[in-house]
Amino acid sequence: MKNAIVVVDDDPIIRMDIREMLEEGGYWVAGEAKNGEEAVELVARLKPDLAIMDIKMPVMNGIKASQIIRKLQQDTSILLLTAYSQKELVKDAREAGVAAFLVKPVSEEDLLPAVEIALSQKEKMDSLKQDIKQLKQSIEERKVIEKAKGIVMQAYSLNEEEAYKKMREASMTTRIPLSKLAACMLTEGLESLSSVAQDG
């Protein structure tokens, strides 16, 4: 699937040039905006992978727009376009969570590698978020299993190892994942283990 990119600049000729360079590079330009306010709306609606945005624009500048976009749509990476005279804004832009910078006028030789860098940072962030999500889920499942194990220990006067073994056996017999079985036990009581209890 092609990466979706939005281009934001108050100069229509610059927007057109960037669009052409991106399309020649195999990217998909999902939309365009002429100021920061439009950019925020566009990103919220389209949820692109990347926003390429000028800093100096009317209504709302690129840094302010970047700050809002980072809060609203954290999955969108931002590449800012800047003029030499705007180097003092680099610190502000970094704080706004911008992935990369390009100095105008923009050439294809500069644009495409910068786009690649910004998109690879986005992929790393996405992967990290996925890892964190899985880790949280694993911790939650562990907590449920521990609670259920406590119930089994109490009900059958078993030690920790024996209770865990009994739960694993029930999980294998019923072909229900251990975390699901534990969750069932917490909501429905020990019925989930009754068949194994009879055997043991």
Side-chain angles (χ1 to χ4, degrees):
M1 194 178 84
K2 280 185 185 176
N3 291 106
I5 299 174
V6 296
V7 178
V8 187
D9 198 298
D10 56 326
D11 185 331
I13 292 165
I14 290 175
R15 287 203 309 269
M16 188 178 72
D17 285 348
I18 290 172
R19 174 188 272 274
E20 281 176 6
M21 286 187 256
L22 289 168
E23 286 174 348
E24 278 170 24
Y27 294 103
W28 170 48
V29 178
E32 293 181 23
K34 61 179 181 290
N35 59 55
E37 205 172 76
E38 284 185 10
V40 170
E41 287 170 17
L42 197 65
V43 168
R45 187 161 48 84
L46 300 177
K47 297 177 174 48
D49 298 297
L50 176 67
I52 298 175
M53 188 157 41
D54 190 18
I55 288 182
K56 201 174 178 184
M57 293 183 292
V59 188
M60 185 191 288
N61 70 34
I63 289 176
K64 181 70 183 162
S66 297
Q67 288 168 339
I68 296 168
I69 287 166
R70 298 306 298 143
K71 282 178 191 161
L72 292 178
Q73 182 59 35
Q74 292 185 337
D75 292 340
T76 298
S77 200
I78 299 167
L79 169 59
L80 277 188
L81 306 177
T82 178
Y84 283 110
S85 60
Q86 295 168 327
K87 280 191 175 175
E88 69 278 3
L89 295 172
V90 167
K91 183 175 170 285
D92 295 337
R94 272 211 193 95
E95 285 168 9
V98 170
F101 291 93
L102 271 182
V103 175
K104 290 163 114 178
V106 177
S107 69
E108 197 168 336
E109 290 76 27
D110 293 332
L111 178 67
L112 298 182
V115 165
E116 278 300 308
I117 288 165
L119 287 170
S120 75
Q121 282 186 347
K122 179 198 176 319
E123 280 166 22
K124 278 179 192 159
M125 283 303 293
D126 289 349
S127 171
L128 194 61
K129 279 181 196 166
Q130 193 57 39
D131 290 348
I132 291 166
K133 192 179 167 186
Q134 283 171 351
L135 188 63
K136 278 183 181 170
Q137 193 181 339
S138 174
I139 290 166
E140 286 310 307
E141 285 176 1
R142 195 73 237 157
K143 282 182 191 168
V144 170
I145 291 168
E146 287 300 314
K147 275 186 191 170
K149 188 168 70 178
I151 293 169
V152 175
M153 284 166 71
Q154 212 171 358
Y156 299 108
S157 304
L158 300 172
N159 66 28
E160 229 178 301
E161 199 180 320
E162 291 165 341
Y164 186 67
K165 189 182 171 199
K166 188 174 273 295
M167 285 170 66
R168 286 215 34 204
E169 283 169 0
S171 169
M172 287 165 160
T173 307
T174 56
R175 293 190 180 175
I176 297 170
L178 192 57
S179 57
K180 266 192 181 170
L181 183 73
C184 277
M185 284 171 56
L186 295 182
T187 53
E188 296 163 25
L190 287 166
E191 287 83 358
S192 328
L193 280 176
S194 57
S195 61
V196 180
Q198 283 156 15
D199 296 340

